[in-house]
Amino acid sequence: MTPAAFAGRDAGAATEIFAGETMGTSWSLQAVAPPVATLHGVQAALDLVVAQMSQWKRESDLARFNHAAPGTWCDVPAEFAHVIEAALDIARASGGAFDPGLGNFTEAWGFGSAGRAGQAPDAAGLCADRTIDFDSATRRIRRSEGAALDLSGIAKGYGVDLAAEWLLDIGVRHFLLEVGGELRGEGIRPDGQPWWVDVEMPPTSSIPPWRIALHDLSAATSGNYRRGVTVDDRYYSHSFDPQTGQPIVNNVSSVTVLHRSCMMADGWATALTVLGPQAGIAIADEQNLVACVIAGDREYLSRAWRAMQD
């Protein structure tokens, strides 16, 4: 842990707890000596992400983009542009395992604003060209005919980062923030301990959970047991293989990634889930990611994860 965290520690400071709802889930915050405006400020940051990047809000920037004519350049806010740039970077680095242009597939399978699917869709009937172009100089994006944005695999992590950066900007140095299972810990507790959290394990796994010290660090977990859809009496994962347009069938039940940025941890957890255990850990090692993949009753750890144990 950094000496600066201890230098600013007040052993007698009170830790306050805040909570709310966002993105179809809940959020919680433990903050040391926070100001009065903390609850409203965190909620405002999360509301901004929803207003810009929600698939379920017809007036969101993302929804308007998806309804714009293919090939049309659309201006997007700075926060939206930041997430798009990160999503496309992860898409390239993962060989396409993370695909922010999969919105038509997720909608067809019942994971979007249209609601539950009555039957499994025909992937062949969905256009294969899902190109999303981003011009960072002008902060504009455009899509091909078959592409529609779905940022659900990265936006929640960004919401954590946006709220966390707001807290840091107003002088809250020590806190643990959680949004729907994605976490970011800054500084330390008044007693000098870091923010200890247990990594959620799949309910069917016998592997004991890891206990992580979140000190200026984020954790994101992608779990296929958390969210899915039953169509024609068969359960389908919410994670999609961009190569086939079908829900994944690679035996991965959970992926946890640790990163300074919760947005990057969230996006990479999604990508590694799609890649599967062997390919996922190979990419994690290539990208120096701290990653743990659970497949069945077996655990796969990246080199960077193992190094954190030393």
mmCIF file of all heavy atoms in Angstrom, residues 37-84:
data_model
loop_
_atom_site.group_PDB
_atom_site.id
_atom_site.type_symbol
_atom_site.label_atom_id
_atom_site.label_comp_id
_atom_site.label_asym_id
_atom_site.label_seq_id
_atom_site.Cartn_x
_atom_site.Cartn_y
_atom_site.Cartn_z
ATOM 1 N N ALA A 37 -22.917 16.207 0.114
ATOM 2 C CA ALA A 37 -23.413 16.022 -1.259
ATOM 3 C C ALA A 37 -23.050 14.666 -1.857
ATOM 4 O O ALA A 37 -23.335 14.422 -3.031
ATOM 5 C CB ALA A 37 -22.861 17.124 -2.154
ATOM 6 N N THR A 38 -22.449 13.771 -1.090
ATOM 7 C CA THR A 38 -21.923 12.530 -1.642
ATOM 8 C C THR A 38 -22.989 11.682 -2.332
ATOM 9 O O THR A 38 -22.801 11.230 -3.468
ATOM 10 C CB THR A 38 -21.227 11.711 -0.548
ATOM 11 O OG1 THR A 38 -20.101 12.455 -0.067
ATOM 12 C CG2 THR A 38 -20.756 10.371 -1.088
ATOM 13 N N LEU A 39 -24.103 11.441 -1.683
ATOM 14 C CA LEU A 39 -25.151 10.601 -2.263
ATOM 15 C C LEU A 39 -25.615 11.143 -3.604
ATOM 16 O O LEU A 39 -25.686 10.415 -4.600
ATOM 17 C CB LEU A 39 -26.335 10.499 -1.300
ATOM 18 C CG LEU A 39 -27.575 9.770 -1.834
ATOM 19 C CD1 LEU A 39 -27.278 8.303 -2.106
ATOM 20 C CD2 LEU A 39 -28.745 9.892 -0.868
ATOM 21 N N HIS A 40 -25.900 12.426 -3.664
ATOM 22 C CA HIS A 40 -26.421 13.019 -4.893
ATOM 23 C C HIS A 40 -25.363 13.064 -5.986
ATOM 24 O O HIS A 40 -25.677 12.881 -7.172
ATOM 25 C CB HIS A 40 -26.955 14.422 -4.600
ATOM 26 C CG HIS A 40 -28.093 14.429 -3.619
ATOM 27 N ND1 HIS A 40 -29.322 13.873 -3.896
ATOM 28 C CD2 HIS A 40 -28.168 14.902 -2.349
ATOM 29 C CE1 HIS A 40 -30.112 14.016 -2.851
ATOM 30 N NE2 HIS A 40 -29.438 14.628 -1.890
ATOM 31 N N GLY A 41 -24.115 13.274 -5.607
ATOM 32 C CA GLY A 41 -23.051 13.325 -6.604
ATOM 33 C C GLY A 41 -22.794 11.989 -7.259
ATOM 34 O O GLY A 41 -22.622 11.896 -8.486
ATOM 35 N N VAL A 42 -22.764 10.923 -6.472
ATOM 36 C CA VAL A 42 -22.558 9.586 -7.024
ATOM 37 C C VAL A 42 -23.734 9.212 -7.916
ATOM 38 O O VAL A 42 -23.555 8.691 -9.029
ATOM 39 C CB VAL A 42 -22.360 8.554 -5.901
ATOM 40 C CG1 VAL A 42 -22.394 7.136 -6.460
ATOM 41 C CG2 VAL A 42 -21.052 8.805 -5.167
ATOM 42 N N GLN A 43 -24.955 9.469 -7.436
ATOM 43 C CA GLN A 43 -26.125 9.138 -8.237
ATOM 44 C C GLN A 43 -26.132 9.920 -9.545
ATOM 45 O O GLN A 43 -26.490 9.376 -10.605
ATOM 46 C CB GLN A 43 -27.406 9.429 -7.455
ATOM 47 C CG GLN A 43 -28.672 8.899 -8.125
ATOM 48 C CD GLN A 43 -28.731 7.389 -8.171
ATOM 49 O OE1 GLN A 43 -28.716 6.708 -7.155
ATOM 50 N NE2 GLN A 43 -28.807 6.837 -9.389
ATOM 51 N N ALA A 44 -25.717 11.182 -9.503
ATOM 52 C CA ALA A 44 -25.684 11.997 -10.721
ATOM 53 C C ALA A 44 -24.694 11.437 -11.741
ATOM 54 O O ALA A 44 -24.967 11.422 -12.950
ATOM 55 C CB ALA A 44 -25.322 13.443 -10.375
ATOM 56 N N ALA A 45 -23.540 10.960 -11.271
ATOM 57 C CA ALA A 45 -22.552 10.376 -12.181
ATOM 58 C C ALA A 45 -23.107 9.119 -12.844
ATOM 59 O O ALA A 45 -22.958 8.924 -14.058
ATOM 60 C CB ALA A 45 -21.264 10.056 -11.423
ATOM 61 N N LEU A 46 -23.772 8.289 -12.073
ATOM 62 C CA LEU A 46 -24.336 7.060 -12.625
ATOM 63 C C LEU A 46 -25.513 7.358 -13.551
ATOM 64 O O LEU A 46 -25.682 6.703 -14.590
ATOM 65 C CB LEU A 46 -24.765 6.132 -11.493
ATOM 66 C CG LEU A 46 -23.624 5.660 -10.575
ATOM 67 C CD1 LEU A 46 -24.182 4.886 -9.392
ATOM 68 C CD2 LEU A 46 -22.609 4.824 -11.335
ATOM 69 N N ASP A 47 -26.311 8.370 -13.200
ATOM 70 C CA ASP A 47 -27.426 8.769 -14.062
ATOM 71 C C ASP A 47 -26.929 9.284 -15.409
ATOM 72 O O ASP A 47 -27.576 9.079 -16.442
ATOM 73 C CB ASP A 47 -28.261 9.852 -13.381
ATOM 74 C CG ASP A 47 -29.083 9.318 -12.213
ATOM 75 O OD1 ASP A 47 -29.182 8.086 -12.070
ATOM 76 O OD2 ASP A 47 -29.612 10.146 -11.444
ATOM 77 N N LEU A 48 -25.763 9.938 -15.411
ATOM 78 C CA LEU A 48 -25.195 10.442 -16.666
ATOM 79 C C LEU A 48 -24.845 9.277 -17.594
ATOM 80 O O LEU A 48 -25.094 9.334 -18.804
ATOM 81 C CB LEU A 48 -23.961 11.287 -16.372
ATOM 82 C CG LEU A 48 -23.274 11.955 -17.578
ATOM 83 C CD1 LEU A 48 -22.674 13.301 -17.176
ATOM 84 C CD2 LEU A 48 -22.171 11.060 -18.156
ATOM 85 N N VAL A 49 -24.274 8.212 -17.032
ATOM 86 C CA VAL A 49 -23.933 7.046 -17.845
ATOM 87 C C VAL A 49 -25.191 6.425 -18.440
ATOM 88 O O VAL A 49 -25.226 6.058 -19.619
ATOM 89 C CB VAL A 49 -23.154 6.010 -17.009
ATOM 90 C CG1 VAL A 49 -22.890 4.743 -17.821
ATOM 91 C CG2 VAL A 49 -21.834 6.606 -16.526
ATOM 92 N N VAL A 50 -26.248 6.330 -17.646
ATOM 93 C CA VAL A 50 -27.509 5.793 -18.150
ATOM 94 C C VAL A 50 -28.060 6.670 -19.270
ATOM 95 O O VAL A 50 -28.499 6.176 -20.321
ATOM 96 C CB VAL A 50 -28.541 5.677 -17.005
ATOM 97 C CG1 VAL A 50 -29.922 5.317 -17.555
ATOM 98 C CG2 VAL A 50 -28.091 4.638 -15.989
ATOM 99 N N ALA A 51 -28.038 7.978 -19.069
ATOM 100 C CA ALA A 51 -28.582 8.907 -20.062
ATOM 101 C C ALA A 51 -27.835 8.827 -21.386
ATOM 102 O O ALA A 51 -28.418 9.033 -22.449
ATOM 103 C CB ALA A 51 -28.539 10.338 -19.517
ATOM 104 N N GLN A 52 -26.560 8.499 -21.339
ATOM 105 C CA GLN A 52 -25.766 8.445 -22.558
ATOM 106 C C GLN A 52 -25.709 7.050 -23.171
ATOM 107 O O GLN A 52 -25.724 6.910 -24.394
ATOM 108 C CB GLN A 52 -24.337 8.927 -22.278
ATOM 109 C CG GLN A 52 -24.232 10.406 -21.944
ATOM 110 C CD GLN A 52 -22.793 10.869 -21.842
ATOM 111 O OE1 GLN A 52 -21.860 10.152 -22.221
ATOM 112 N NE2 GLN A 52 -22.603 12.073 -21.340
ATOM 113 N N MET A 53 -25.640 5.994 -22.361
ATOM 114 C CA MET A 53 -25.244 4.684 -22.873
ATOM 115 C C MET A 53 -26.247 3.568 -22.656
ATOM 116 O O MET A 53 -25.940 2.392 -22.907
ATOM 117 C CB MET A 53 -23.903 4.281 -22.251
ATOM 118 C CG MET A 53 -22.820 5.320 -22.477
ATOM 119 S SD MET A 53 -21.286 4.950 -21.616
ATOM 120 C CE MET A 53 -20.747 6.627 -21.211
ATOM 121 N N SER A 54 -27.454 3.868 -22.215
ATOM 122 C CA SER A 54 -28.441 2.826 -21.953
ATOM 123 C C SER A 54 -29.100 2.343 -23.237
ATOM 124 O O SER A 54 -29.497 3.137 -24.084
ATOM 125 C CB SER A 54 -29.519 3.345 -20.996
ATOM 126 O OG SER A 54 -30.568 2.408 -20.862
ATOM 127 N N GLN A 55 -29.251 1.017 -23.357
ATOM 128 C CA GLN A 55 -30.039 0.438 -24.451
ATOM 129 C C GLN A 55 -31.536 0.563 -24.188
ATOM 130 O O GLN A 55 -32.338 0.465 -25.107
ATOM 131 C CB GLN A 55 -29.721 -1.051 -24.594
ATOM 132 C CG GLN A 55 -28.463 -1.397 -25.364
ATOM 133 C CD GLN A 55 -28.304 -2.894 -25.432
ATOM 134 O OE1 GLN A 55 -27.817 -3.518 -24.499
ATOM 135 N NE2 GLN A 55 -28.717 -3.494 -26.541
ATOM 136 N N TRP A 56 -31.888 0.736 -22.941
ATOM 137 C CA TRP A 56 -33.297 0.672 -22.541
ATOM 138 C C TRP A 56 -33.975 2.042 -22.496
ATOM 139 O O TRP A 56 -35.188 2.119 -22.372
ATOM 140 C CB TRP A 56 -33.411 -0.008 -21.176
ATOM 141 C CG TRP A 56 -32.984 -1.449 -21.253
ATOM 142 C CD1 TRP A 56 -33.786 -2.527 -21.514
ATOM 143 C CD2 TRP A 56 -31.666 -1.967 -21.122
ATOM 144 N NE1 TRP A 56 -33.041 -3.683 -21.539
ATOM 145 C CE2 TRP A 56 -31.728 -3.372 -21.304
ATOM 146 C CE3 TRP A 56 -30.420 -1.388 -20.854
ATOM 147 C CZ2 TRP A 56 -30.608 -4.198 -21.229
ATOM 148 C CZ3 TRP A 56 -29.308 -2.198 -20.784
ATOM 149 C CH2 TRP A 56 -29.406 -3.587 -20.977
ATOM 150 N N LYS A 57 -33.206 3.120 -22.591
ATOM 151 C CA LYS A 57 -33.765 4.469 -22.604
ATOM 152 C C LYS A 57 -33.819 4.958 -24.050
ATOM 153 O O LYS A 57 -32.778 5.165 -24.680
ATOM 154 C CB LYS A 57 -32.896 5.420 -21.767
ATOM 155 C CG LYS A 57 -32.772 5.036 -20.303
ATOM 156 C CD LYS A 57 -34.030 5.354 -19.534
ATOM 157 C CE LYS A 57 -33.836 5.119 -18.046
ATOM 158 N NZ LYS A 57 -35.070 5.369 -17.279
ATOM 159 N N ARG A 58 -35.022 5.142 -24.555
ATOM 160 C CA ARG A 58 -35.165 5.525 -25.961
ATOM 161 C C ARG A 58 -34.530 6.870 -26.270
ATOM 162 O O ARG A 58 -34.154 7.140 -27.413
ATOM 163 C CB ARG A 58 -36.645 5.552 -26.343
ATOM 164 C CG ARG A 58 -37.311 4.189 -26.359
ATOM 165 C CD ARG A 58 -38.743 4.282 -26.857
ATOM 166 N NE ARG A 58 -38.814 4.811 -28.211
ATOM 167 C CZ ARG A 58 -38.664 4.084 -29.311
ATOM 168 N NH1 ARG A 58 -38.415 2.789 -29.211
ATOM 169 N NH2 ARG A 58 -38.757 4.631 -30.500
ATOM 170 N N GLU A 59 -34.403 7.729 -25.248
ATOM 171 C CA GLU A 59 -33.831 9.051 -25.478
ATOM 172 C C GLU A 59 -32.333 9.093 -25.212
ATOM 173 O O GLU A 59 -31.709 10.155 -25.311
ATOM 174 C CB GLU A 59 -34.536 10.076 -24.589
ATOM 175 C CG GLU A 59 -34.305 9.934 -23.093
ATOM 176 C CD GLU A 59 -35.208 8.912 -22.419
ATOM 177 O OE1 GLU A 59 -35.873 8.140 -23.145
ATOM 178 O OE2 GLU A 59 -35.242 8.887 -21.174
ATOM 179 N N SER A 60 -31.701 7.963 -24.893
ATOM 180 C CA SER A 60 -30.261 7.968 -24.619
ATOM 181 C C SER A 60 -29.478 8.244 -25.893
ATOM 182 O O SER A 60 -29.960 8.023 -27.016
ATOM 183 C CB SER A 60 -29.823 6.627 -24.023
ATOM 184 O OG SER A 60 -29.821 5.603 -25.009
ATOM 185 N N ASP A 61 -28.252 8.691 -25.730
ATOM 186 C CA ASP A 61 -27.382 8.946 -26.890
ATOM 187 C C ASP A 61 -27.156 7.650 -27.661
ATOM 188 O O ASP A 61 -27.104 7.661 -28.895
ATOM 189 C CB ASP A 61 -26.049 9.539 -26.429
ATOM 190 C CG ASP A 61 -26.203 10.929 -25.860
ATOM 191 O OD1 ASP A 61 -26.288 11.888 -26.650
ATOM 192 O OD2 ASP A 61 -26.251 11.063 -24.623
ATOM 193 N N LEU A 62 -27.016 6.536 -26.944
ATOM 194 C CA LEU A 62 -26.796 5.250 -27.611
ATOM 195 C C LEU A 62 -28.017 4.852 -28.435
ATOM 196 O O LEU A 62 -27.873 4.418 -29.589
ATOM 197 C CB LEU A 62 -26.468 4.180 -26.575
ATOM 198 C CG LEU A 62 -26.147 2.776 -27.098
ATOM 199 C CD1 LEU A 62 -25.108 2.100 -26.214
ATOM 200 C CD2 LEU A 62 -27.395 1.894 -27.159
ATOM 201 N N ALA A 63 -29.202 5.005 -27.868
ATOM 202 C CA ALA A 63 -30.415 4.630 -28.603
ATOM 203 C C ALA A 63 -30.597 5.497 -29.843
ATOM 204 O O ALA A 63 -30.980 4.999 -30.908
ATOM 205 C CB ALA A 63 -31.633 4.747 -27.684
ATOM 206 N N ARG A 64 -30.318 6.781 -29.721
ATOM 207 C CA ARG A 64 -30.444 7.671 -30.883
ATOM 208 C C ARG A 64 -29.444 7.278 -31.970
ATOM 209 O O ARG A 64 -29.757 7.304 -33.160
ATOM 210 C CB ARG A 64 -30.252 9.124 -30.461
ATOM 211 C CG ARG A 64 -31.427 9.688 -29.688
ATOM 212 C CD ARG A 64 -31.393 11.205 -29.673
ATOM 213 N NE ARG A 64 -30.246 11.713 -28.923
ATOM 214 C CZ ARG A 64 -30.280 12.008 -27.627
ATOM 215 N NH1 ARG A 64 -31.391 11.837 -26.937
ATOM 216 N NH2 ARG A 64 -29.215 12.478 -27.022
ATOM 217 N N PHE A 65 -28.239 6.905 -31.549
ATOM 218 C CA PHE A 65 -27.234 6.467 -32.522
ATOM 219 C C PHE A 65 -27.694 5.206 -33.236
ATOM 220 O O PHE A 65 -27.568 5.083 -34.463
ATOM 221 C CB PHE A 65 -25.901 6.229 -31.822
ATOM 222 C CG PHE A 65 -24.872 5.557 -32.695
ATOM 223 C CD1 PHE A 65 -24.249 6.251 -33.714
ATOM 224 C CD2 PHE A 65 -24.546 4.220 -32.506
ATOM 225 C CE1 PHE A 65 -23.313 5.629 -34.542
ATOM 226 C CE2 PHE A 65 -23.610 3.594 -33.321
ATOM 227 C CZ PHE A 65 -22.992 4.303 -34.336
ATOM 228 N N ASN A 66 -28.233 4.255 -32.482
ATOM 229 C CA ASN A 66 -28.674 2.995 -33.090
ATOM 230 C C ASN A 66 -29.837 3.188 -34.046
ATOM 231 O O ASN A 66 -30.054 2.355 -34.938
ATOM 232 C CB ASN A 66 -29.052 1.989 -32.000
ATOM 233 C CG ASN A 66 -27.832 1.344 -31.357
ATOM 234 O OD1 ASN A 66 -26.723 1.424 -31.886
ATOM 235 N ND2 ASN A 66 -28.035 0.715 -30.217
ATOM 236 N N HIS A 67 -30.603 4.262 -33.870
ATOM 237 C CA HIS A 67 -31.728 4.539 -34.763
ATOM 238 C C HIS A 67 -31.351 5.463 -35.921
ATOM 239 O O HIS A 67 -32.162 5.680 -36.830
ATOM 240 C CB HIS A 67 -32.892 5.143 -33.979
ATOM 241 C CG HIS A 67 -33.644 4.131 -33.161
ATOM 242 N ND1 HIS A 67 -33.393 3.919 -31.819
ATOM 243 C CD2 HIS A 67 -34.614 3.242 -33.498
ATOM 244 C CE1 HIS A 67 -34.190 2.966 -31.365
ATOM 245 N NE2 HIS A 67 -34.942 2.538 -32.363
ATOM 246 N N ALA A 68 -30.127 5.995 -35.893
ATOM 247 C CA ALA A 68 -29.669 6.840 -37.001
ATOM 248 C C ALA A 68 -29.375 5.971 -38.222
ATOM 249 O O ALA A 68 -29.110 4.767 -38.111
ATOM 250 C CB ALA A 68 -28.420 7.609 -36.591
ATOM 251 N N ALA A 69 -29.425 6.565 -39.387
ATOM 252 C CA ALA A 69 -29.170 5.820 -40.624
ATOM 253 C C ALA A 69 -27.741 5.293 -40.646
ATOM 254 O O ALA A 69 -26.803 5.997 -40.252
ATOM 255 C CB ALA A 69 -29.414 6.721 -41.829
ATOM 256 N N PRO A 70 -27.534 4.050 -41.079
ATOM 257 C CA PRO A 70 -26.177 3.511 -41.192
ATOM 258 C C PRO A 70 -25.302 4.431 -42.051
ATOM 259 O O PRO A 70 -25.766 4.998 -43.042
ATOM 260 C CB PRO A 70 -26.382 2.157 -41.870
ATOM 261 C CG PRO A 70 -27.788 1.774 -41.530
ATOM 262 C CD PRO A 70 -28.552 3.061 -41.497
ATOM 263 N N GLY A 71 -24.046 4.570 -41.653
ATOM 264 C CA GLY A 71 -23.110 5.417 -42.390
ATOM 265 C C GLY A 71 -23.144 6.873 -41.993
ATOM 266 O O GLY A 71 -22.312 7.662 -42.457
ATOM 267 N N THR A 72 -24.082 7.266 -41.129
ATOM 268 C CA THR A 72 -24.196 8.651 -40.687
ATOM 269 C C THR A 72 -23.274 8.910 -39.501
ATOM 270 O O THR A 72 -23.328 8.190 -38.502
ATOM 271 C CB THR A 72 -25.646 8.969 -40.266
ATOM 272 O OG1 THR A 72 -26.520 8.703 -41.352
ATOM 273 C CG2 THR A 72 -25.782 10.421 -39.845
ATOM 274 N N TRP A 73 -22.437 9.933 -39.605
ATOM 275 C CA TRP A 73 -21.586 10.307 -38.480
ATOM 276 C C TRP A 73 -22.435 11.010 -37.426
ATOM 277 O O TRP A 73 -23.205 11.907 -37.732
ATOM 278 C CB TRP A 73 -20.466 11.237 -38.923
ATOM 279 C CG TRP A 73 -19.335 10.540 -39.642
ATOM 280 C CD1 TRP A 73 -19.093 10.554 -40.979
ATOM 281 C CD2 TRP A 73 -18.319 9.737 -39.053
ATOM 282 N NE1 TRP A 73 -17.982 9.802 -41.273
ATOM 283 C CE2 TRP A 73 -17.482 9.286 -40.104
ATOM 284 C CE3 TRP A 73 -18.019 9.339 -37.747
ATOM 285 C CZ2 TRP A 73 -16.369 8.483 -39.885
ATOM 286 C CZ3 TRP A 73 -16.914 8.523 -37.524
ATOM 287 C CH2 TRP A 73 -16.104 8.104 -38.582
ATOM 288 N N CYS A 74 -22.286 10.586 -36.170
ATOM 289 C CA CYS A 74 -23.054 11.151 -35.065
ATOM 290 C C CYS A 74 -22.106 11.688 -33.996
ATOM 291 O O CYS A 74 -21.154 10.998 -33.605
ATOM 292 C CB CYS A 74 -23.964 10.097 -34.439
ATOM 293 S SG CYS A 74 -25.186 9.398 -35.574
ATOM 294 N N ASP A 75 -22.360 12.903 -33.545
ATOM 295 C CA ASP A 75 -21.586 13.468 -32.440
ATOM 296 C C ASP A 75 -21.995 12.795 -31.135
ATOM 297 O O ASP A 75 -23.179 12.534 -30.904
ATOM 298 C CB ASP A 75 -21.833 14.971 -32.330
ATOM 299 C CG ASP A 75 -21.375 15.725 -33.571
ATOM 300 O OD1 ASP A 75 -20.330 15.350 -34.134
ATOM 301 O OD2 ASP A 75 -22.066 16.676 -33.970
ATOM 302 N N VAL A 76 -21.014 12.532 -30.267
ATOM 303 C CA VAL A 76 -21.311 11.917 -28.972
ATOM 304 C C VAL A 76 -20.608 12.693 -27.867
ATOM 305 O O VAL A 76 -19.574 13.326 -28.101
ATOM 306 C CB VAL A 76 -20.879 10.434 -28.927
ATOM 307 C CG1 VAL A 76 -21.709 9.599 -29.892
ATOM 308 C CG2 VAL A 76 -19.395 10.273 -29.218
ATOM 309 N N PRO A 77 -21.156 12.679 -26.650
ATOM 310 C CA PRO A 77 -20.520 13.373 -25.527
ATOM 311 C C PRO A 77 -19.147 12.785 -25.197
ATOM 312 O O PRO A 77 -18.821 11.655 -25.585
ATOM 313 C CB PRO A 77 -21.503 13.170 -24.371
ATOM 314 C CG PRO A 77 -22.785 12.751 -25.009
ATOM 315 C CD PRO A 77 -22.419 12.034 -26.269
ATOM 316 N N ALA A 78 -18.376 13.535 -24.437
ATOM 317 C CA ALA A 78 -17.008 13.125 -24.114
ATOM 318 C C ALA A 78 -16.963 11.795 -23.373
ATOM 319 O O ALA A 78 -16.097 10.950 -23.641
ATOM 320 C CB ALA A 78 -16.331 14.214 -23.283
ATOM 321 N N GLU A 79 -17.871 11.596 -22.433
ATOM 322 C CA GLU A 79 -17.875 10.351 -21.663
ATOM 323 C C GLU A 79 -18.176 9.152 -22.565
ATOM 324 O O GLU A 79 -17.522 8.108 -22.482
ATOM 325 C CB GLU A 79 -18.910 10.435 -20.533
ATOM 326 C CG GLU A 79 -18.628 11.506 -19.496
ATOM 327 C CD GLU A 79 -19.149 12.877 -19.907
ATOM 328 O OE1 GLU A 79 -19.779 12.975 -20.992
ATOM 329 O OE2 GLU A 79 -18.929 13.849 -19.162
ATOM 330 N N PHE A 80 -19.159 9.318 -23.422
ATOM 331 C CA PHE A 80 -19.526 8.274 -24.392
ATOM 332 C C PHE A 80 -18.328 7.957 -25.288
ATOM 333 O O PHE A 80 -18.003 6.786 -25.524
ATOM 334 C CB PHE A 80 -20.704 8.787 -25.220
ATOM 335 C CG PHE A 80 -21.452 7.742 -26.001
ATOM 336 C CD1 PHE A 80 -22.837 7.783 -26.059
ATOM 337 C CD2 PHE A 80 -20.800 6.741 -26.684
ATOM 338 C CE1 PHE A 80 -23.547 6.838 -26.783
ATOM 339 C CE2 PHE A 80 -21.495 5.790 -27.418
ATOM 340 C CZ PHE A 80 -22.877 5.838 -27.466
ATOM 341 N N ALA A 81 -17.672 8.982 -25.775
ATOM 342 C CA ALA A 81 -16.515 8.788 -26.655
ATOM 343 C C ALA A 81 -15.398 8.023 -25.946
ATOM 344 O O ALA A 81 -14.729 7.169 -26.542
ATOM 345 C CB ALA A 81 -16.009 10.144 -27.136
ATOM 346 N N HIS A 82 -15.193 8.324 -24.671
ATOM 347 C CA HIS A 82 -14.153 7.654 -23.891
ATOM 348 C C HIS A 82 -14.428 6.153 -23.802
ATOM 349 O O HIS A 82 -13.524 5.318 -23.963
ATOM 350 C CB HIS A 82 -14.097 8.272 -22.494
ATOM 351 C CG HIS A 82 -13.068 7.668 -21.595
ATOM 352 N ND1 HIS A 82 -11.721 7.637 -21.904
ATOM 353 C CD2 HIS A 82 -13.187 7.062 -20.380
ATOM 354 C CE1 HIS A 82 -11.051 7.046 -20.926
ATOM 355 N NE2 HIS A 82 -11.918 6.682 -20.000
ATOM 356 N N VAL A 83 -15.681 5.779 -23.580
ATOM 357 C CA VAL A 83 -16.051 4.372 -23.465
ATOM 358 C C VAL A 83 -15.956 3.682 -24.823
ATOM 359 O O VAL A 83 -15.469 2.544 -24.916
ATOM 360 C CB VAL A 83 -17.461 4.230 -22.872
ATOM 361 C CG1 VAL A 83 -17.905 2.769 -22.863
ATOM 362 C CG2 VAL A 83 -17.502 4.792 -21.461
ATOM 363 N N ILE A 84 -16.402 4.353 -25.881
ATOM 364 C CA ILE A 84 -16.307 3.780 -27.227
ATOM 365 C C ILE A 84 -14.852 3.495 -27.588
ATOM 366 O O ILE A 84 -14.513 2.420 -28.119
ATOM 367 C CB ILE A 84 -16.925 4.733 -28.267
ATOM 368 C CG1 ILE A 84 -18.449 4.712 -28.181
ATOM 369 C CG2 ILE A 84 -16.487 4.364 -29.685
ATOM 370 C CD1 ILE A 84 -19.068 3.408 -28.632
#
